[in-house]
Amino acid sequence: EVSEVRLRVTKQAAPPIIRELAAYATGARPEAAERNDPKASLGLQPDWTRVMRWTANQFDGTTATLNIDLTAQVDAAQQYELMVRPTEGDGELIIKTVDLFLESNKLPPEFVKRTQQSGVFNLNVTAFPSNKPDWCRVQVILHNDHPTTSKGEVLLRKRPLK
């Protein structure tokens, strides 16, 4: 029997509205690694890596163009997931485009696919990685009608095998 439940909202896109909250006894306990992982306190799974943060200063009017070098994180030819998520700000953040570049060549749109999860894209890296700076990068174009308070982060991980 549960006597107390605490819900702590540390980040929000808008004021939270909670219509119902339920707790269930599953008998499962978090693994020790999950309890001690510093990424867990950020709301991240252990396999996500922050590759960039943005602030309102990066907006030119209502648009921000983020050029992110992923060379250090891309160590194999495989699929990766890129997550673009706001952490603060007013207005709706719209991800206009995500383009993938290998050796300064923009790849066709089929190499970047939007997933059903908001702000998450599959990146198909088909070439063997290089240690050259800027070998693998993405360009993300954001739009926000109220960019003066916009802050967020871009995360990357190897796409998990199902």
Side-chain angles (χ1 to χ4, degrees):
E1 183 174 304
V2 175
S3 62
E4 293 181 19
V5 174
R6 176 185 292 167
L7 173 65
R8 189 166 57 187
V9 178
T10 59
K11 294 183 181 176
Q12 63 189 41
I17 299 172
I18 301 165
R19 300 195 192 288
E20 184 177 328
L21 179 66
Y24 299 92
T26 64
R29 294 186 50 85
E31 298 294 325
E34 291 173 349
R35 289 191 305 265
N36 296 329
D37 188 339
K39 291 182 181 181
S41 66
L42 300 173
L44 300 178
Q45 296 296 320
D47 50 352
W48 286 100
T49 300
R50 184 184 296 119
V51 292
M52 179 180 213
R53 290 182 182 188
W54 80 79
T55 65
N57 296 340
Q58 290 167 278
F59 279 82
D60 182 11
T62 59
T63 303
T65 301
L66 310 177
N67 287 295
I68 308 163
D69 186 355
L70 301 177
T71 304
Q73 290 79 27
V74 174
D75 60 1
Q78 70 176 68
Q79 283 192 328
Y80 293 82
E81 288 182 322
L82 186 83
M83 180 188 299
V84 180
R85 68 180 195 174
T87 55
E88 291 181 34
D90 299 323
E92 180 185 6
L93 181 74
I94 298 169
I95 304 164
K96 299 290 266 181
T97 61
V98 175
D99 292 315
L100 179 62
F101 294 79
L102 294 180
E103 295 184 310
S104 300
N105 297 307
K106 181 179 173 183
L107 298 183
E110 312 67 74
F111 286 81
V112 179
K113 293 288 185 190
R114 190 179 293 260
T115 69
Q116 292 180 353
Q117 186 178 350
S118 179
V120 177
F121 298 80
N122 285 335
L123 305 179
N124 294 302
V125 178
T126 57
F128 190 75
S130 166
N131 291 331
K132 296 177 189 173
D134 220 27
W135 172 81
C136 178
R137 71 178 176 88
V138 291
Q139 182 180 69
V140 179
I141 299 179
L142 305 175
H143 173 81
N144 192 323
D145 286 333
H146 300 92
T148 56
T149 58
S150 182
K151 290 184 182 179
E153 59 190 1
V154 181
L155 310 164
L156 184 76
R157 72 174 177 179
K158 290 182 179 177
R159 186 167 181 225
L161 300 174
K162 305 263 183 213

